[in-house]
C-alpha cells in the first residue's frame, strides 16, 4: 500500500524566543492582504459596492474583527462549548488555535452590517464584493491546516494518502488540500467568472448567494472524506457538524440567488 509520509513541517514559522509567529497567523495575514487587493481591483472595474479608498481602509478592520471574534466564538459554541464551563478564559486565547469558518461568516455578517449602517452602504453590495475574494483566505487557511497536520481525512488506500503525525499511522485523505483546492482555487475561479456576468451582478445579494451555495456544496462533499471531530463524531450517526452547519448556508445562499433585489 502506497502512502506519503507527512513532511516534517514546524508549525512555527519564526521563533523569536518569547514571541512565536505561526504559519497559521501568516496564512491569515496573507489571505487578508491578497483578498483586499482583489476586492479593490474588482471594485475599480465593476463598481460593485461603491467603496472609496477610505472605505477600504475601514472595512479591513471590520473584516479582521469579524473573522477573529466570530471564528473563535463559533469554534467554542459549535465545537468546544465545554470551555465556557471548564476554562472560560481559554475562549479568548486564540493563539492556542481553533477557529470556525461558519463562526467567521457570522462574525463578518455582523461587522459588515455595522460598517454598512455606520457609513451608509448597501449591506448586500458589500457582502457581494467580499464574497468574490473570500476564497483566497479559505485557500491559505486550509494550507495552514495541512501544515499543522490537523483536520485530516479518513483512512484511505489511494496512492496520495498521507500518514499524519499523532495518528494511527494509516494513510489518510489529505482533506485539507482537497478543501484548499475546492474552497480556494475552484471557488475563486467561479466567483471571478460570476462577477463578470451582468445579469447576476445587477441584483443585490446574488453574488453572495453563489458563494454560499458553492461553498456549502464543496464543504458537504469533502466532509465525506474528512475525519469527524473525535469529541463530536456524527450527528445522529448520519452527518458531521460541519455538514449540518453548511445546510443553513446553502438554504440562505439559494434564497439570496433566487430573490429579485435589483441593484440600484
Amino acid at each position: 500500500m502506497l502512502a506519503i509520509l507527512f513532511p516534517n513541517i514546524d508549525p512555527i514559522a519564526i521563533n523569536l524566543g518569547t514571541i512565536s509567529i505561526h504559519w497559521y497567523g501568516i496564512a491569515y495575514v496573507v489571505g487578508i492582504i491578497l483578498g483586499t487587493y482583489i476586492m479593490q481591483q474588482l471594485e475599480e472595474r465593476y463598481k460593485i459596492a461603491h467603496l472609496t479608498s477610505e472605505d477600504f481602509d475601514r472595512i479591513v478592520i471590520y473584516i479582521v474583527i469579524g473573522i477573529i471574534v466570530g471564528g473563535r466564538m463559533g469554534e467554542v459554541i459549535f465545537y468546544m462549548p465545554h470551555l465556557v464551563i471548564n476554562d472560560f478564559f481559554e475562549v479568548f486565547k486564540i493563539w492556542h488555535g481553533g477557529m470556525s469558518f461558519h463562526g467567521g461568516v457570522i462574525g463578518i455578517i455582523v461587522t459588515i452590517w455595522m460598517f454598512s449602517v455606520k457609513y451608509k452602504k448597501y449591506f448586500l453590495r458589500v457582502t457581494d464584493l467580499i464574497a468574490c475574494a473570500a476564497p483566497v483566505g479559505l485557500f491559505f487557511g486550509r494550507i495552514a491546516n495541512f501544515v499543522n497536520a490537523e483536520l485530516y481525512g479518513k483512512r484511505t488506500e489511494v496512492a496520495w494518502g498521507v500518514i499524519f503525525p499523532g495518528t494511527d499511522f494509516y494513510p489518510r485523505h489529505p482533506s485539507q488540500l482537497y478543501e484548499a483546492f475546492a474552497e480556494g482555487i475552484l471557488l475563486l475561479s467561479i466567483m471571478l467568472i460570476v462577477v463578470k456576468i451582468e445579469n447576476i451582478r445587477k441584483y443585490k445579494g446574488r453574488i453572495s448567494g453563489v458563494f454560499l451555495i458553492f461553498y456549502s456544496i464543496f464543504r458537504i462533499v469533502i466532509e465525506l472524506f474528512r475525519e469527524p471531530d473525535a469529541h463530536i463524531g456524527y450527528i445522529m450517526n448520519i452527518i458531521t457538524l460541519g455538514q449540518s452547519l453548511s445546510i443553513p448556508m446553502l438554504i440562505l445562499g439559494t434564497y439570496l440567488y433566487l430573490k429579485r433585489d435589483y441593484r440600484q
Side-chain angles (χ1 to χ4, degrees):
M1 179 172 58
L2 296 176
I4 301 172
L5 188 63
F6 183 81
N8 185 20
I9 305 175
D10 190 339
I12 298 177
I14 303 173
N15 193 339
L16 302 177
T18 56
I19 300 176
S20 298
I21 301 177
H22 292 246
W23 287 112
Y24 204 78
I26 293 176
Y28 267 84
V29 172
V30 173
I32 291 172
I33 292 174
L34 289 182
T36 302
Y37 172 77
I38 290 176
M39 287 195 296
Q40 290 174 322
Q41 295 302 308
L42 293 176
E43 177 64 16
E44 181 178 343
R45 181 170 182 176
Y46 298 109
K47 307 300 180 185
I48 299 172
H50 302 289
L51 299 182
T52 64
S53 58
E54 291 79 10
D55 289 327
F56 274 105
D57 293 337
R58 299 168 183 142
I59 201 171
V60 171
I61 298 175
Y62 282 81
I63 291 175
V64 170
I65 293 174
I67 291 174
I68 295 177
V69 176
R72 183 57 178 171
M73 293 305 297
E75 179 73 12
V76 172
I77 294 172
F78 298 142
Y79 295 92
M80 301 184 298
H82 61 278
L83 284 182
V84 179
I85 299 175
N86 298 336
D87 187 0
F88 179 74
F89 291 102
E90 181 68 23
V91 173
F92 305 99
K93 299 176 182 178
I94 59 176
W95 56 89
H96 285 179
M99 299 284 281
S100 164
F101 169 78
H102 297 92
V105 169
I106 296 174
I108 289 178
I109 289 175
V110 172
T111 56
I112 294 307
W113 178 81
M114 294 169 62
F115 167 85
S116 301
V117 170
K118 183 173 182 178
Y119 296 104
K120 296 179 173 56
K121 304 294 179 180
Y122 284 101
F123 171 67
L124 288 178
R125 285 182 175 178
V126 180
T127 61
D128 282 346
L129 181 61
I130 294 173
C132 294
V136 175
L138 288 169
F139 172 80
F140 286 103
R142 293 310 182 190
I143 293 299
N145 289 148
F146 181 79
V147 170
N148 288 345
E150 60 188 5
L151 308 182
Y152 44 75
K154 299 176 180 177
R155 292 183 182 182
T156 181
E157 295 184 0
V158 298
W160 57 88
V162 177
I163 299 177
F164 289 94
T167 62
D168 50 15
F169 297 102
Y170 280 91
R172 293 177 176 273
H173 285 287
S175 54
Q176 314 98 321
L177 300 183
Y178 299 171
E179 291 185 279
F181 173 75
E183 301 168 7
I185 297 174
L186 184 55
L187 185 53
L188 177 62
S189 301
I190 292 173
M191 299 310 299
L192 293 181
I193 292 173
V194 165
V195 76
K196 295 180 180 180
I197 302 175
E198 184 177 359
N199 188 45
I200 293 179
R201 200 170 64 242
K202 72 179 182 179
Y203 291 103
K204 296 196 294 286
R206 266 201 171 182
I207 297 176
S208 300
V210 171
F211 170 81
L212 292 174
I213 289 171
F214 279 98
Y215 173 84
S216 300
I217 292 174
F218 292 152
R219 180 67 182 267
I220 290 171
V221 171
I222 295 176
E223 285 271 330
L224 298 174
F225 301 93
R226 179 170 155 180
E227 189 73 24
D229 297 275
H231 64 293
I232 298 176
Y234 290 96
I235 299 175
M236 300 178 63
N237 294 320
I238 300 176
I239 63 175
T240 65
L241 181 56
Q243 289 173 322
S244 66
L245 292 173
S246 296
I247 292 174
M249 287 180 56
L250 180 60
I251 295 173
L252 175 60
T254 303
Y255 166 74
L256 289 174
Y257 183 81
L258 294 178
K259 77 184 188 69
R260 295 291 188 270
D261 191 357
Y262 186 71
R263 197 177 283 278
Q264 298 295 329

